Amino acid sequence: MGGWVDVGGRADLESSSRLEADVDGYRVRVVVVSGTLYAFEDRCTHDDSPFDDATIEDCEIICPRHGARFSLRDGQALSPPAYEPLRIFEVRESAGRIEIRT
Amino acid sequence: MTSKPDKTRRLTLIRHANAEQDSDVRDFERPLSRKGQGEASDMARRFQERGLVPDLILASAALRTRETAETFAKVLGVATRLLQADDSLYLADGDHIISTIRAVGPRINHLMVIGHNPGISAAAISLAPEAISADLPTCGTLTMTVSCATWNLIDRRCVRDTERDSPRRFFDFGN
Protein backbone atom coordinates (compact mmCIF):
# COMPACT_ATOMS: atom_id res chain seq x y z
CA MET A 1 0.00 0.00 0.00
CA GLY A 2 1.37 3.35 -0.99
CA GLY A 3 4.19 1.70 -2.93
CA TRP A 4 5.49 2.17 -6.45
CA VAL A 5 4.48 -0.20 -9.24
CA ASP A 6 6.64 -0.79 -12.32
CA VAL A 7 4.54 -0.30 -15.45
CA GLY A 8 7.26 -0.56 -18.10
CA GLY A 9 10.54 0.76 -19.38
CA ARG A 10 11.32 4.24 -20.57
CA ALA A 11 12.29 2.72 -23.91
CA ASP A 12 8.82 1.16 -24.28
CA LEU A 13 7.27 4.54 -23.60
CA GLU A 14 9.52 6.25 -26.14
CA SER A 15 8.80 3.68 -28.84
CA SER A 16 5.03 3.58 -28.50
CA SER A 17 4.51 7.13 -27.15
CA ARG A 18 2.51 5.74 -24.26
CA LEU A 19 2.36 2.98 -21.67
CA GLU A 20 -0.75 1.27 -20.42
CA ALA A 21 -1.11 -0.81 -17.30
CA ASP A 22 -3.65 -2.02 -14.80
CA VAL A 23 -2.93 -0.46 -11.44
CA ASP A 24 -5.18 -1.03 -8.44
CA GLY A 25 -8.02 -1.97 -10.76
CA TYR A 26 -7.62 1.14 -12.88
CA ARG A 27 -6.49 1.15 -16.48
CA VAL A 28 -3.69 3.71 -16.36
CA ARG A 29 -2.01 5.44 -19.27
CA VAL A 30 1.40 7.12 -19.06
CA VAL A 31 2.51 9.74 -21.57
CA VAL A 32 5.37 12.23 -21.88
CA VAL A 33 4.63 15.87 -22.63
CA SER A 34 7.56 18.25 -23.07
CA GLY A 35 9.79 15.86 -21.18
CA THR A 36 7.44 15.45 -18.20
CA LEU A 37 5.70 12.20 -17.32
CA TYR A 38 1.96 12.15 -16.72
CA ALA A 39 -0.13 9.20 -15.59
CA PHE A 40 -3.91 9.15 -15.60
CA GLU A 41 -6.83 6.78 -15.73
CA ASP A 42 -7.52 5.87 -19.34
CA ARG A 43 -11.19 6.66 -19.15
CA CYS A 44 -13.12 9.72 -20.24
CA THR A 45 -15.31 10.59 -17.28
CA HIS A 46 -18.08 11.71 -19.60
CA ASP A 47 -18.81 8.45 -21.38
CA ASP A 48 -16.80 6.04 -19.22
CA SER A 49 -14.76 4.77 -22.18
CA PRO A 50 -11.01 4.68 -22.91
CA PHE A 51 -9.43 7.67 -24.59
CA ASP A 52 -8.12 5.51 -27.43
CA ASP A 53 -6.80 7.89 -30.08
CA ALA A 54 -7.21 11.05 -28.06
CA THR A 55 -4.96 13.96 -28.92
CA ILE A 56 -2.84 15.81 -26.40
CA GLU A 57 -2.34 19.56 -26.74
CA ASP A 58 -0.73 21.91 -24.25
CA CYS A 59 -0.82 19.30 -21.52
CA GLU A 60 -4.52 18.68 -22.08
CA ILE A 61 -6.01 15.45 -23.35
CA ILE A 62 -8.95 15.80 -25.72
CA CYS A 63 -11.36 12.92 -25.98
CA PRO A 64 -11.96 12.14 -29.67
CA ARG A 65 -15.60 11.19 -29.19
CA HIS A 66 -17.23 14.30 -27.73
CA GLY A 67 -14.39 16.78 -27.33
CA ALA A 68 -14.11 16.73 -23.55
CA ARG A 69 -10.78 18.16 -22.36
CA PHE A 70 -8.87 17.38 -19.20
CA SER A 71 -5.71 18.82 -17.70
CA LEU A 72 -3.03 16.18 -17.38
CA ARG A 73 -1.49 18.17 -14.53
CA ASP A 74 -4.35 17.91 -12.06
CA GLY A 75 -7.09 16.03 -13.91
CA GLN A 76 -9.47 18.98 -13.96
CA ALA A 77 -12.31 18.64 -16.44
CA LEU A 78 -11.83 21.71 -18.63
CA SER A 79 -14.79 21.60 -20.96
CA PRO A 80 -18.20 20.03 -21.28
CA PRO A 81 -19.44 17.41 -21.73
CA ALA A 82 -17.03 16.26 -19.02
CA TYR A 83 -17.50 17.56 -15.49
CA GLU A 84 -15.95 14.91 -13.28
CA PRO A 85 -12.16 15.21 -13.02
CA LEU A 86 -9.81 12.65 -14.45
CA ARG A 87 -8.04 10.44 -11.93
CA ILE A 88 -4.35 11.32 -11.87
CA PHE A 89 -1.54 9.10 -10.58
CA GLU A 90 1.85 10.02 -9.28
CA VAL A 91 4.52 8.80 -11.70
CA ARG A 92 8.31 8.72 -11.69
CA GLU A 93 11.22 7.26 -13.61
CA SER A 94 13.70 5.15 -11.73
CA ALA A 95 16.69 3.52 -13.40
CA GLY A 96 15.03 3.52 -16.78
CA ARG A 97 11.75 2.12 -15.44
CA ILE A 98 8.44 3.96 -15.19
CA GLU A 99 6.70 3.59 -11.85
CA ILE A 100 3.29 4.62 -10.58
CA ARG A 101 2.43 5.19 -6.96
CA THR A 102 -0.49 3.15 -5.72
CA MET B 1 -25.85 -5.72 -26.55
CA THR B 2 -27.05 -5.97 -22.97
CA SER B 3 -28.17 -2.89 -21.14
CA LYS B 4 -26.63 -1.93 -17.82
CA PRO B 5 -28.75 -2.53 -14.72
CA ASP B 6 -30.43 0.42 -13.08
CA LYS B 7 -28.57 1.98 -10.21
CA THR B 8 -29.95 4.07 -7.38
CA ARG B 9 -28.54 7.57 -7.57
CA ARG B 10 -29.29 10.92 -6.04
CA LEU B 11 -29.83 14.24 -7.76
CA THR B 12 -30.06 17.54 -5.88
CA LEU B 13 -31.23 20.71 -7.61
CA ILE B 14 -30.64 23.99 -5.78
CA ARG B 15 -31.43 27.58 -6.57
CA HIS B 16 -28.63 29.93 -5.51
CA ALA B 17 -28.99 31.76 -2.21
CA ASN B 18 -30.15 35.38 -1.92
CA ALA B 19 -27.90 37.79 -3.83
CA GLU B 20 -27.13 41.50 -3.60
CA GLN B 21 -29.28 43.74 -5.74
CA ASP B 22 -26.65 46.34 -6.60
CA SER B 23 -27.52 47.78 -10.00
CA ASP B 24 -23.93 48.95 -10.51
CA VAL B 25 -22.73 45.37 -10.63
CA ARG B 26 -23.15 43.22 -13.71
CA ASP B 27 -25.73 40.49 -13.05
CA PHE B 28 -23.12 37.76 -13.55
CA GLU B 29 -20.97 39.31 -10.79
CA ARG B 30 -23.63 39.81 -8.14
CA PRO B 31 -22.38 38.27 -4.86
CA LEU B 32 -24.50 36.63 -2.18
CA SER B 33 -26.03 39.04 0.30
CA ARG B 34 -25.43 38.57 3.99
CA LYS B 35 -28.83 36.90 4.16
CA GLY B 36 -27.84 34.64 1.27
CA GLN B 37 -24.61 33.59 2.94
CA GLY B 38 -26.64 32.55 5.96
CA GLU B 39 -29.14 30.66 3.80
CA ALA B 40 -26.36 28.73 2.07
CA SER B 41 -24.61 27.85 5.34
CA ASP B 42 -27.85 26.75 7.00
CA MET B 43 -28.94 24.59 4.08
CA ALA B 44 -25.49 23.05 3.69
CA ARG B 45 -25.50 22.12 7.37
CA ARG B 46 -28.88 20.44 6.96
CA PHE B 47 -27.44 18.35 4.13
CA GLN B 48 -24.49 17.48 6.35
CA GLU B 49 -26.80 16.41 9.18
CA ARG B 50 -28.67 14.13 6.77
CA GLY B 51 -25.42 12.72 5.37
CA LEU B 52 -26.21 14.02 1.89
CA VAL B 53 -22.77 14.63 0.42
CA PRO B 54 -22.53 14.96 -3.37
CA ASP B 55 -19.79 13.35 -5.46
CA LEU B 56 -19.86 16.29 -7.86
CA ILE B 57 -21.27 19.82 -7.71
CA LEU B 58 -22.11 21.62 -10.96
CA ALA B 59 -22.84 25.32 -10.69
CA SER B 60 -23.53 28.15 -13.05
CA ALA B 61 -20.37 30.21 -13.38
CA ALA B 62 -22.11 33.35 -12.04
CA LEU B 63 -20.74 34.59 -8.73
CA ARG B 64 -23.90 33.97 -6.68
CA THR B 65 -24.17 30.33 -7.80
CA ARG B 66 -20.44 29.74 -7.33
CA GLU B 67 -20.57 31.22 -3.83
CA THR B 68 -23.54 29.02 -2.97
CA ALA B 69 -21.68 25.98 -4.34
CA GLU B 70 -18.51 26.85 -2.47
CA THR B 71 -20.41 27.08 0.79
CA PHE B 72 -21.96 23.65 0.25
CA ALA B 73 -18.56 22.22 -0.75
CA LYS B 74 -16.88 23.65 2.32
CA VAL B 75 -19.51 22.52 4.81
CA LEU B 76 -19.84 19.08 3.21
CA GLY B 77 -16.11 18.53 2.75
CA VAL B 78 -16.31 18.24 -1.03
CA ALA B 79 -12.93 18.80 -2.69
CA THR B 80 -12.76 21.92 -4.83
CA ARG B 81 -11.83 19.88 -7.90
CA LEU B 82 -15.24 18.22 -7.58
CA LEU B 83 -16.94 21.59 -7.92
CA GLN B 84 -17.33 22.61 -11.54
CA ALA B 85 -18.49 26.05 -12.63
CA ASP B 86 -20.09 25.92 -16.06
CA ASP B 87 -20.73 29.07 -18.13
CA SER B 88 -23.52 27.37 -20.01
CA LEU B 89 -25.53 26.93 -16.79
CA TYR B 90 -25.77 30.71 -16.33
CA LEU B 91 -29.50 31.50 -16.70
CA ALA B 92 -29.88 28.17 -18.50
CA ASP B 93 -33.35 26.85 -19.18
CA GLY B 94 -34.65 23.61 -17.73
CA ASP B 95 -33.95 21.57 -20.85
CA HIS B 96 -30.32 22.64 -20.91
CA ILE B 97 -29.91 21.81 -17.23
CA ILE B 98 -31.32 18.33 -17.81
CA SER B 99 -29.04 17.89 -20.85
CA THR B 100 -26.10 18.80 -18.66
CA ILE B 101 -27.16 16.26 -16.03
CA ARG B 102 -27.40 13.62 -18.78
CA ALA B 103 -23.76 14.27 -19.74
CA VAL B 104 -22.41 13.35 -16.30
CA GLY B 105 -20.36 10.16 -16.08
CA PRO B 106 -21.69 7.00 -14.46
CA ARG B 107 -19.41 6.96 -11.42
CA ILE B 108 -21.12 10.01 -9.94
CA ASN B 109 -23.80 8.71 -7.60
CA HIS B 110 -24.92 11.96 -5.99
CA LEU B 111 -24.95 14.94 -8.30
CA MET B 112 -25.73 18.46 -7.08
CA VAL B 113 -26.65 21.20 -9.56
CA ILE B 114 -26.87 24.85 -8.50
CA GLY B 115 -28.54 27.25 -10.89
CA HIS B 116 -30.96 30.08 -11.46
CA ASN B 117 -34.67 30.54 -11.81
CA PRO B 118 -36.63 29.93 -13.86
CA GLY B 119 -34.43 27.16 -15.33
CA ILE B 120 -33.53 25.27 -12.16
CA SER B 121 -37.19 25.19 -11.08
CA ALA B 122 -38.26 24.15 -14.57
CA ALA B 123 -35.82 21.24 -14.42
CA ALA B 124 -37.15 20.26 -10.98
CA ILE B 125 -40.77 20.44 -12.11
CA SER B 126 -39.97 18.51 -15.27
CA LEU B 127 -38.32 15.67 -13.35
CA ALA B 128 -40.50 15.61 -10.25
CA PRO B 129 -43.87 17.24 -10.95
CA GLU B 130 -45.40 15.42 -7.98
CA ALA B 131 -42.97 17.12 -5.61
CA ILE B 132 -42.93 20.68 -6.88
CA SER B 133 -44.97 22.91 -9.09
CA ALA B 134 -43.87 26.35 -7.89
CA ASP B 135 -40.54 28.12 -8.40
CA LEU B 136 -37.83 27.28 -5.89
CA PRO B 137 -37.13 30.07 -3.39
CA THR B 138 -33.55 31.24 -2.90
CA CYS B 139 -31.47 28.28 -1.71
CA GLY B 140 -34.48 26.01 -2.02
CA THR B 141 -33.47 22.43 -2.67
CA LEU B 142 -35.03 19.36 -4.22
CA THR B 143 -33.24 16.04 -3.76
CA MET B 144 -34.47 13.07 -5.75
CA THR B 145 -33.62 9.42 -5.47
CA VAL B 146 -33.47 8.21 -9.04
CA SER B 147 -33.06 4.79 -10.53
CA CYS B 148 -31.11 4.81 -13.77
CA ALA B 149 -28.15 2.87 -15.15
CA THR B 150 -26.49 6.03 -16.41
CA TRP B 151 -27.28 9.71 -16.08
CA ASN B 152 -28.10 10.02 -19.77
CA LEU B 153 -31.23 7.96 -19.13
CA ILE B 154 -32.69 10.24 -16.48
CA ASP B 155 -36.26 11.40 -16.87
CA ARG B 156 -39.29 11.65 -14.58
CA ARG B 157 -39.91 7.90 -14.79
CA CYS B 158 -36.60 7.31 -12.97
CA VAL B 159 -37.55 9.41 -9.96
CA ARG B 160 -38.41 7.36 -6.86
CA ASP B 161 -38.42 9.59 -3.78
CA THR B 162 -38.05 13.31 -3.32
CA GLU B 163 -37.03 15.52 -0.42
CA ARG B 164 -37.51 19.24 -0.65
CA ASP B 165 -36.23 21.87 1.68
CA SER B 166 -36.06 25.62 1.93
CA PRO B 167 -34.57 28.26 4.21
CA ARG B 168 -38.14 29.51 4.46
CA ARG B 169 -39.65 27.09 6.88
CA PHE B 170 -43.15 27.21 5.54
CA PHE B 171 -42.42 27.67 1.86
CA ASP B 172 -45.17 26.29 -0.36
CA PHE B 173 -43.67 24.12 -3.10
CA GLY B 174 -47.06 24.11 -4.75
CA ASN B 175 -47.87 20.44 -4.07
Side-chain angles (χ1 to χ4, degrees), chain B residues 7-76:
Chain B
K7 186 170 180 182
T8 301
R9 303 175 188 275
R10 202 171 260 138
L11 171 66
T12 298
L13 302 179
I14 303 179
R15 183 184 172 200
H16 63 80
N18 185 269
E20 295 282 6
Q21 297 287 346
D22 186 347
S23 57
D24 291 338
V25 177
R26 208 161 56 98
D27 180 67
F28 191 80
E29 300 294 342
R30 286 199 290 130
L32 292 185
S33 63
R34 200 178 174 86
K35 175 187 170 191
Q37 291 167 6
E39 288 177 341
S41 297
D42 288 349
M43 296 303 292
R45 272 196 289 275
R46 288 194 218 171
F47 271 66
Q48 184 191 36
E49 285 162 9
R50 286 145 64 200
L52 294 175
V53 179
D55 305 306
L56 181 70
I57 303 176
L58 298 183
S60 150
L63 185 56
R64 57 191 182 277
T65 34
R66 278 189 287 126
E67 287 186 338
T68 304
E70 284 161 7
T71 301
F72 272 83
K74 189 174 174 187
V75 171
L76 296 174

Side-chain angles (χ1 to χ4, degrees), chain B residues 69-92:
Chain B
E70 284 161 7
T71 301
F72 272 83
K74 189 174 174 187
V75 171
L76 296 174
V78 175
T80 52
R81 67 194 204 98
L82 296 171
L83 192 173
Q84 282 279 319
D86 184 345
D87 282 328
S88 80
L89 288 175
Y90 174 56
L91 304 181

Side-chain angles (χ1 to χ4, degrees), chain B:
Chain B
M1 190 174 147
T2 56
S3 57
K4 292 180 181 176
D6 281 349
K7 186 170 180 182
T8 301
R9 303 175 188 275
R10 202 171 260 138
L11 171 66
T12 298
L13 302 179
I14 303 179
R15 183 184 172 200
H16 63 80
N18 185 269
E20 295 282 6
Q21 297 287 346
D22 186 347
S23 57
D24 291 338
V25 177
R26 208 161 56 98
D27 180 67
F28 191 80
E29 300 294 342
R30 286 199 290 130
L32 292 185
S33 63
R34 200 178 174 86
K35 175 187 170 191
Q37 291 167 6
E39 288 177 341
S41 297
D42 288 349
M43 296 303 292
R45 272 196 289 275
R46 288 194 218 171
F47 271 66
Q48 184 191 36
E49 285 162 9
R50 286 145 64 200
L52 294 175
V53 179
D55 305 306
L56 181 70
I57 303 176
L58 298 183
S60 150
L63 185 56
R64 57 191 182 277
T65 34
R66 278 189 287 126
E67 287 186 338
T68 304
E70 284 161 7
T71 301
F72 272 83
K74 189 174 174 187
V75 171
L76 296 174
V78 175
T80 52
R81 67 194 204 98
L82 296 171
L83 192 173
Q84 282 279 319
D86 184 345
D87 282 328
S88 80
L89 288 175
Y90 174 56
L91 304 181
D93 64 23
D95 287 345
H96 180 79
I97 292 170
I98 292 173
S99 301
T100 302
I101 292 165
R102 289 185 175 139
V104 168
R107 284 192 200 165
I108 300 299
N109 287 323
H110 184 178
L111 172 66
M112 180 177 279
V113 181
I114 302 178
H116 308 263
N117 267 348
I120 196 75
S121 296
I125 292 165
S126 172
L127 290 172
E130 292 80 15
I132 176 172
S133 61
D135 279 351
L136 286 165
T138 52
C139 221
T141 72
L142 180 67
T143 297
M144 304 163 223
T145 304
V146 298
S147 182
C148 52
T150 53
W151 285 106
N152 66 353
L153 297 172
I154 192 170
D155 63 21
R156 71 176 57 169
R157 291 168 298 182
C158 303
V159 176
R160 298 292 174 261
D161 299 306
T162 56
E163 280 183 82
R164 54 200 193 182
D165 202 358
S166 160
R168 295 193 222 165
R169 202 164 171 188
F170 300 108
F171 180 76
D172 180 4
F173 283 82
N175 292 67

